[in-house]
Amino acid sequence: MTDYDLSVDFAGLRLKNPLLADAAGYAVSPAGLRRLLKSGLGAVITKSSTGEALPAWPRRWEWSPRPRVYWDDVTLPYPHSKTMDGTEALINPGYKRMASYIKEVKPLADELDAYIIGSFSPRSEQEAAEIAREYEKAGASAIHMDLVCSTAASFRGRQHPSKGWEKLGNWWSETPERAAGVMKAAKDAVDIPVVPKSFFLTWAKERPEAIKMIEETSRIDGLAVHTYSIPGCVWIDIFRGKPYAYPKYPSMDAIVALTVGNTMNLAKVTKKPILTAGAISTVSDVIQLIMVGGTAIGLCRALYKDIHVVKQICDDLESYMASQTLESLDEIRGIALKYPLKGPSGLAPEYEDQAVPLDQVKETRTRK
């Protein structure tokens, strides 16, 4: 029992807190699902599964960790340890076995006041409907769809030719119309919420009308996104709710700012709740994303590093709410959207290049 109400309404689910385990390797077995649920998350998204089980793929690089990993440790001193090599694409036990895992762990989720969200990547609209129904029958509280995996189609298509694996992941998001079709197939098949992950961030920036078309055509209940290399990093002052542009060429440490900027762009063109993820690991990250319109916040790599990060963020959220006399996180959701975006120096972006460096200003004052 917490002192402050951290609960949020997301796509028809009342989450006890806004933190979710984004679809990843920990949620590939009953033990993994139980471990994540016990950490205190509001919901756990299962590892995205497919119509048949997909085994590991032979490693591409000499220093790729063995026997398998989903996330590499960037601190390892190996030549190729700073990136994944694609061979982990959609390693999963198959949707039927995953459905049995959901059924097995569902009582624990109910006991902990948490949800299990079933995730999958289909090869056809018919398969999407079939898997969605199976997950609903097993006890999943919502459906998540991986329509973005960039390596699954190429790797799995070669590994198992003539089985339709070339239609996985981002194949579905090559056009908004194709994505809308498979989303609708899943939504029409079940009564529980459907929250697919697709190229919503790209379309929000380049084709915002596509977002509206997808929402109206498919009737999905929410949008799930992951961050990737789209320019537009934003940092939020969490004590004023004001947004600032991040430096033009940020380092990899600025992935959170990229996630914040992308989420802000999407929130401006959708009325659906957003599940956003991308390098989130601290309470400041979470608050910034809520301030730009996010509702559910996905954790992934942070959970691999420290499963206790969930409790830490929730404790810190309570401290923040106390310091700001907040009774609900709804009070700050989207607050940054009402302010104009300013540059790192506090100026509007169009004036940023003309700004006088602070050290020059100090020198001028000293001379006067």
Side-chain angles (χ1 to χ4, degrees):
M1 185 70 178
T2 59
D3 295 326
Y4 285 82
D5 182 10
L6 304 182
S7 63
V8 297
D9 288 317
F10 175 69
L13 304 178
R14 184 67 179 178
L15 304 178
K16 62 183 178 183
N17 63 60
L19 306 180
L20 283 75
D22 207 10
Y26 268 5
V28 78
S29 67
L33 288 168
R34 285 193 289 267
R35 186 167 191 258
L36 288 168
L37 287 166
K38 291 176 182 178
S39 73
L41 292 159
V44 173
I45 303 175
T46 69
K47 182 75 171 80
S48 298
S49 296
T50 49
E52 302 170 35
L54 286 176
W57 180 275
R59 290 298 175 184
R60 180 179 177 184
W61 289 323
E62 174 61 24
W63 286 106
S64 290
R66 296 173 174 82
R68 77 178 189 192
V69 293
Y70 293 92
W71 295 100
D72 209 340
D73 187 342
V74 298
T75 64
L76 293 177
Y78 305 141
H80 301 291
S81 65
K82 294 188 177 182
T83 183
M84 294 184 293
D85 61 16
T87 56
E88 73 293 325
L90 288 180
I91 297 173
N92 74 89
Y95 81 92
K96 290 186 177 180
R97 184 169 292 181
M98 183 61 75
S100 71
Y101 297 165
I102 294 173
K103 184 176 181 179
E104 177 182 339
V105 181
K106 180 69 160 59
L108 177 62
D110 293 340
E111 178 186 333
L112 297 174
D113 189 27
Y115 298 99
I116 300 176
I117 299 174
S119 181
F120 63 87
S121 187
R123 289 173 288 187
S124 67
E125 293 183 6
Q126 293 74 20
E127 189 171 71
E130 178 183 344
I131 298 177
R133 283 192 292 265
E134 191 75 15
Y135 279 177
E136 181 181 39
K137 182 180 178 181
S141 297
I143 297 298
H144 175 277
M145 301 171 69
D146 180 353
L147 308 178
V148 298
C149 183
S150 59
T151 56
S154 58
F155 271 89
R156 299 308 178 178
R158 296 199 305 272
Q159 186 183 26
H160 301 288
S162 304
K163 298 189 71 171
W165 294 120
E166 67 277 3
K167 295 181 180 179
L168 282 179
N170 65 358
W171 183 88
W172 290 104
S173 296
E174 288 181 357
T175 69
E177 292 75 19
R178 184 183 293 172
V182 74
M183 293 175 194
K184 184 177 187 300
K187 179 61 182 175
D188 288 347
V190 297
D191 294 323
I192 56 179
V194 175
V195 185
K197 181 185 290 186
S198 190
F199 288 167
F200 297 120
L201 300 179
T202 300
W203 297 326
K205 186 177 182 66
E206 300 175 358
R207 295 183 56 187
E209 72 280 358
I211 303 292
K212 183 177 181 181
M213 181 277 292
I214 290 174
E215 292 174 346
E216 293 178 349
T217 300
S218 64
R219 299 180 296 105
I220 54 175
D221 301 278
L223 312 180
V225 296
H226 74 308
T227 208
Y228 44 93
S229 298
I230 298 176
C233 297
V234 174
W235 172 79
I236 305 297
D237 180 339
I238 65 173
F239 295 101
R240 295 176 178 80
K242 295 185 178 182
Y244 294 82
Y246 216 80
K248 188 173 182 180
Y249 299 107
S251 66
M252 287 300 292
D253 294 335
I255 291 178
V256 172
L258 193 60
T259 302
V260 172
N262 288 339
T263 304
M264 171 182 275
N265 288 335
L266 180 59
K268 291 177 180 178
V269 298
T270 182
K271 295 182 179 180
K272 299 288 184 181
I274 299 172
L275 162 57
T276 183
I280 309 308
S281 62
T282 70
V283 71
S284 176
D285 302 340
V286 172
I287 295 169
Q288 290 187 65
L289 286 166
I290 293 174
M291 284 184 165
V292 296
T295 299
I297 314 300
L299 302 179
C300 189
R301 187 167 187 163
L303 293 170
Y304 282 73
K305 290 179 174 294
D306 182 8
I307 195 72
H308 303 295
V309 69
V310 180
K311 183 180 186 304
Q312 185 64 60
I313 291 177
C314 286
D315 287 346
D316 291 345
L317 266 178
E318 288 195 8
S319 297
Y320 176 80
M321 292 178 73
S323 73
Q324 304 301 301
T325 62
L326 299 175
E327 296 185 2
S328 168
L329 293 175
D330 290 336
E331 295 179 49
I332 61 171
R333 179 166 295 103
I335 192 171
L337 301 177
K338 69 180 182 179
Y339 294 107
L341 181 62
K342 295 184 177 181
S345 69
L347 297 174
E350 57 266 31
Y351 298 113
E352 191 65 32
D353 293 337
Q354 304 174 38
V356 178
L358 186 60
D359 57 349
Q360 293 184 22
V361 174
K362 291 180 178 178
E363 291 177 3
T364 302
R365 289 175 178 171
T366 301
R367 287 197 297 270
K368 288 183 178 180

